[in-house]
Amino acid sequence: MDYTVTPVNANAADNLYRVLIADDEPIIREGIREAMDWATLGMEVVGEAEDGEEALERAVELNVHVVLVDMNMPFLNGIGLIRALQEQCPGVRYLIISGHDEFAYAQEAVRLGVEDYILKPVQADQLRAALERLRQRLDEEHQRTAYVRQAAEQIERNIPLLRQRFCQEWMKGQVAGESLMEQLAFLHLPSVSPVQVGVVRWPAAEARQTILRENDRQLFLFAMENIISELLGDLPHVLFRDASSVIGICLWQETPEEIALLLEQQISACLNIAVHAHVEPHRGTLEEVPGTYRHCREQVYEEVKLSPLVRRARQLIQEEYAERELTLESLASRLQVSAVYLSRVLKKELNDSFVTLVTHARIRKAAQLLDSTSLPIHTIAERVGYDTQHYFSTAFKKTMGISPAQYRKNGGTESSTAGSV
């Protein structure tokens, strides 16, 4: 049962503090009830009880805020009642009315957190003053509770912004150890390392900062974040702004190998802008995440050095690596350049040959299928563009250092990694 203190409003009975009078003498209960102007005190008497057991039952039933307790009631005395109520209704406040001026009673009452201790016969002025003090404490408690609730609601509304700021500090290496774990928990993020880290960069925003209106730039970045979130769907992730035109990504569930390409294509299709995306696995600790992130940033900034021809060639390789008809000549024809020239610029800018780029794309996809499916190796070989399992196994071992069967048996352990396309 919720015993949160409610706000006081003397003009609305629903907002008055609810009071229970517990005393085994009817004349005492009546005298207390009639002697006070309860509404002026911000209170109302909602019930009475003539013994401790009835008082306990009625206090719970009526959801009271205050109990006036006689110490010497039958079945359950005042101290026993208070102890029982503290377990069942921890928010209730108590005011003791007793015919015994005994130090032991007073001492125990103080220990139990009783608000006041009044001796019989009860003086109206004394009781009124005690109730006024109690109401003031209840009002203060309500105010504190309201402030805490408002603060909690404000924090909850700002969780996305707080996550962004946290990730910005995290990627700069400014958060580590116990503080890192505490902030992850506070922001409702997994307490384990993200499995993938990525970056999406919009180079034109930097190059055109002097002529691109800030409002427009922010709208495009916001739209990019929405597109990224839609593509990632329900996968646990956080997006954050790093530099003026860089969006960082932390993922706690693995995405498809081609996610970076999908991000570039979707943003280009929806917003008609060119972006560079790079996503890579993270296999280290939480403290090592910034290192992976920095590498991702380096990769997207390296993209600027690539010619449009090489970027388009690489994109087509990533899209069509499984096609057996994909050759250097067919790719060069689509790009309207000679095969010799295409081969030369690929080697110059990517430091790899056409064959190596296609092989790496195929082997990366094959490794993903070996990790995530139980498909036979010959089926995987066909899916990634190889005519025979033997040819596929040879290429896989040359690239990864172990055979496809060993890779699957070892749970994805590899002695080398396929280069990036």
Side-chain angles (χ1 to χ4, degrees):
M1 186 171 292
D2 183 9
Y3 278 88
T4 303
V5 177
T6 53
V8 176
N9 181 346
N11 297 319
D14 289 344
N15 289 330
L16 300 178
Y17 294 119
R18 296 183 291 280
V19 178
L20 175 71
I21 302 173
D23 196 295
D24 61 344
E25 299 181 58
I27 193 169
I28 298 292
R29 297 198 302 273
E30 182 180 355
I32 292 172
R33 189 177 64 249
E34 299 299 328
M36 296 294 106
D37 184 348
W38 295 98
T40 301
L41 289 167
M43 301 179 178
E44 64 172 335
V45 177
V46 294
E48 299 178 12
E50 60 182 5
D51 62 63
E53 289 185 354
E54 182 187 9
L56 177 61
E57 183 179 332
R58 300 226 66 198
V60 173
E61 174 191 344
L62 297 169
N63 192 20
V64 299
H65 300 109
V66 179
V67 181
L68 275 55
V69 181
D70 177 23
M71 294 302 292
N72 292 316
M73 292 183 293
F75 305 121
L76 186 65
N77 66 19
I79 295 295
L81 171 62
I82 292 170
R83 286 175 176 162
L85 281 173
Q86 283 182 334
E87 291 184 6
Q88 298 189 43
C89 315
V92 171
R93 298 293 178 263
Y94 315 97
L95 196 157
I96 287 180
I97 298 173
S98 176
H100 296 273
D101 185 11
E102 294 184 9
F103 177 74
Y105 277 124
Q107 188 179 43
E108 182 66 9
V110 169
R111 195 182 68 79
L112 292 172
V114 170
E115 301 292 334
D116 234 316
Y117 194 104
I118 297 174
L119 292 174
K120 296 179 181 180
V122 178
Q123 300 298 316
D125 291 345
Q126 185 183 12
L127 178 59
R128 185 179 299 105
L131 289 169
E132 285 174 347
R133 289 192 296 270
L134 177 53
R135 182 196 61 191
Q136 183 177 352
R137 286 192 286 269
L138 286 167
D139 287 348
E140 290 170 354
E141 181 182 332
H142 161 68
Q143 196 63 56
R144 284 193 300 273
T145 302
Y147 286 147
V148 170
R149 186 186 304 114
Q150 289 170 7
E153 291 171 354
Q154 185 72 18
I155 289 172
E156 198 63 33
R157 284 194 297 270
N158 288 326
I159 282 290
L161 178 60
L162 293 172
R163 283 176 172 174
Q164 283 204 27
R165 289 180 178 173
F166 159 70
C167 285
Q168 289 165 357
E169 294 177 358
W170 185 14
M171 296 309 138
K172 292 175 183 176
Q174 297 174 351
V175 190
E178 189 175 335
S179 175
L180 176 55
M181 297 298 293
E182 288 175 354
Q183 292 198 49
L184 286 168
F186 174 71
L187 296 170
H188 315 308
L189 293 173
S191 59
V192 295
S193 294
V195 296
Q196 285 179 315
V197 177
V199 167
V200 179
R201 178 175 177 242
W202 178 23
E206 297 171 13
R208 298 167 52 198
Q209 270 184 334
T210 54
I211 60 174
L212 187 67
R213 289 192 309 170
E214 181 62 19
N215 281 351
D216 292 337
R217 193 173 70 85
Q218 292 297 332
L219 283 173
F220 271 94
L221 287 168
F222 182 69
M224 287 168 59
E225 288 173 334
N226 283 339
I227 292 168
I228 295 168
S229 288
E230 283 185 13
L231 273 174
L232 297 179
D234 295 330
L235 297 176
H237 69 275
V238 174
L239 303 181
F240 58 96
R241 305 269 183 94
D242 183 347
S244 58
S245 58
V246 173
I247 298 171
I249 309 169
C250 282
L251 276 153
W252 279 269
Q253 189 172 330
E254 193 169 350
T255 58
E257 182 73 32
E258 60 274 11
I259 185 63
L261 179 62
L262 292 173
L263 290 171
E264 292 178 356
Q265 291 175 335
Q266 192 68 14
I267 291 172
S268 175
C270 294
L271 303 180
N272 196 29
I273 60 175
V275 299
H276 299 147
H278 183 81
V279 179
E280 63 182 59
H282 174 73
R283 297 186 176 90
T285 65
L286 284 166
E287 283 80 4
E288 292 171 330
V289 172
T292 303
Y293 179 72
R294 283 192 299 271
H295 185 259
C296 289
R297 288 191 80 234
E298 290 167 3
Q299 293 301 305
V300 293
Y301 276 91
E302 284 292 319
E303 286 288 312
V304 177
K305 300 177 184 178
L306 299 180
S307 64
L309 173 64
V310 169
R311 283 202 295 268
R312 179 58 178 156
R314 189 178 60 177
Q315 179 184 350
L316 289 172
I317 291 171
Q318 289 173 334
E319 291 174 352
E320 301 179 12
Y321 62 85
E323 298 295 328
R324 291 174 177 77
E325 295 78 15
L326 180 63
T327 64
L328 177 62
E329 289 72 20
S330 67
L331 182 60
S333 176
R334 290 180 61 178
L335 296 171
Q336 298 181 332
V337 296
S338 72
V340 172
Y341 178 72
L342 178 59
S343 177
R344 187 164 61 245
V345 294
L346 287 175
K347 186 68 176 178
K348 179 182 177 181
E349 296 187 29
L350 297 177
N351 199 33
D352 273 321
S353 67
F354 168 80
V355 171
T356 300
L357 292 172
V358 173
T359 299
H360 285 169
R362 288 173 171 174
I363 298 305
R364 277 206 321 276
K365 182 61 178 179
Q368 181 188 348
L369 292 172
L370 288 166
D371 282 336
S372 60
T373 74
S374 57
L375 290 171
I377 291 176
H378 69 85
T379 302
I380 292 176
E382 293 173 1
R383 285 199 179 186
V384 299
Y386 287 98
D387 292 324
T388 68
Q389 181 175 334
H390 175 72
Y391 186 23
F392 164 64
S393 296
T394 301
F396 191 96
K397 186 169 184 179
K398 183 178 179 181
T399 303
M400 305 298 283
I402 55 177
S403 70
Q406 289 173 314
Y407 182 90
R408 173 174 275 172
K409 182 179 178 182
N410 295 343
T413 303
E414 58 205 68
S415 59
S416 65
T417 56
S420 60
V421 176

